[in-house]
Amino acid sequence: MHNIGNDIVDLNLAKTQSNWQRKGFLEKQFTQKEQEEIRDAENPFLKVWQFWSMKEAAYKCYTQKIEKRFFAPQKFECSLISKTEGFVLFKDHKYGTSTSFNPFYIHTIAKEENNEVVIFSKIGSSKKTHIDLKIQLAIETGVLSEEIIKIKTTVGAPLFYHKKKLLTKSCSISHHGNYGAFVFSLEK
């Protein structure tokens, strides 16, 4: 199984709802190496949320595989290769990440390293994420979007079916504030 994950952060909401500078926040969420990178960053606020979205996207990949949820953000360590490309290490797993930035949100997609998989993704209004996903699935598979149903796995990861036939190999949906995003790969 080639799992994919994604996470989106509404930057305006993050500014008003999360005080990342409060005592203990960085220490709870980030490794020593990440904390140093955040402190040294040109824009520490953006670095915090990039690392956060990288960790969340990798976590979603991992939990799809083991089908168990847990909270251990410090155990997922982020490294950047460039401003947008990086990877997250967790135990013996390595997830490649790609982050897109714009003035309103940060979005990261993660996938298992050495995983050559075609990924479909879209960012839009959080209210329309499921509709947009079904429309994209319908386009890619040739089935009617109204006939596509979602069934969640034990960890809440969505899988989409058409008449009991699995359409998505892996799927991840995320929402934050005004934005929603999805990524999926198709069952061949």
Side-chain angles (χ1 to χ4, degrees):
M1 181 90 153
H2 298 295
N3 296 315
I4 53 177
N6 89 113
D7 190 58
I8 194 159
V9 177
D10 179 326
L11 294 173
N12 287 326
L13 191 60
K15 272 183 192 133
T16 59
Q17 281 192 344
S18 302
N19 180 7
W20 64 271
Q21 293 170 307
R22 76 178 179 270
K23 188 168 171 37
F25 179 83
L26 291 179
E27 292 77 11
K28 267 192 199 129
Q29 313 299 333
F30 301 101
T31 65
Q32 200 60 48
K33 175 180 139 314
E34 292 166 341
Q35 290 174 53
E36 287 168 20
E37 280 190 57
I38 289 165
R39 281 192 205 95
D40 295 343
E42 194 177 302
N43 186 332
F45 171 78
L46 285 181
K47 188 67 70 185
V48 163
W49 297 112
Q50 179 179 16
F51 282 167
W52 179 272
S53 71
M54 288 169 68
K55 287 174 184 273
E56 277 289 315
Y59 168 81
K60 288 176 181 179
C61 285
Y62 185 75
T63 56
Q64 284 179 54
K65 181 181 232 115
I66 63 153
E67 296 192 351
K68 197 166 91 187
R69 289 178 171 230
F70 57 93
F71 183 76
Q74 263 199 340
K75 291 192 163 78
F76 287 79
E77 186 165 73
C78 302
S79 294
L80 291 173
I81 298 163
S82 69
K83 181 178 168 19
T84 59
E85 304 299 312
F87 59 89
V88 177
L89 294 174
F90 177 72
K91 295 184 177 177
D92 56 347
H93 299 274
K94 187 175 183 181
Y95 301 96
T97 63
S98 180
T99 304
S100 55
F101 296 87
N102 90 17
F104 308 105
Y105 59 77
I106 289 176
H107 179 243
T108 298
I109 296 173
K111 63 183 180 118
E112 291 171 289
E113 283 279 290
N114 306 321
N115 179 357
E116 290 307 313
V117 62
V118 178
I119 296 174
F120 301 91
S121 73
K122 182 174 180 184
I123 298 165
S125 158
S126 65
K127 292 177 182 74
K128 287 185 58 214
T129 307
H130 280 86
I131 296 164
D132 290 346
L133 193 153
K134 283 185 172 187
I135 289 168
Q136 189 68 47
L137 256 175
I139 291 166
E140 300 304 329
T141 61
V143 302
L144 294 173
S145 64
E146 305 81 53
E147 293 178 356
I148 297 172
I149 60 163
K150 176 178 81 172
I151 298 174
K152 288 187 174 187
T153 66
T154 53
V155 291
L159 291 174
F160 289 84
Y161 291 82
H162 178 256
K163 297 181 179 174
K164 296 188 179 169
K165 180 183 185 274
L166 180 64
L167 298 176
T168 52
K169 192 180 293 186
S170 179
C171 183
S172 173
I173 299 171
S174 59
H175 299 94
H176 188 236
N178 291 318
Y179 303 99
F182 66 79
V183 294
F184 66 82
S185 62
L186 294 174
E187 200 51 56
K188 289 289 179 215

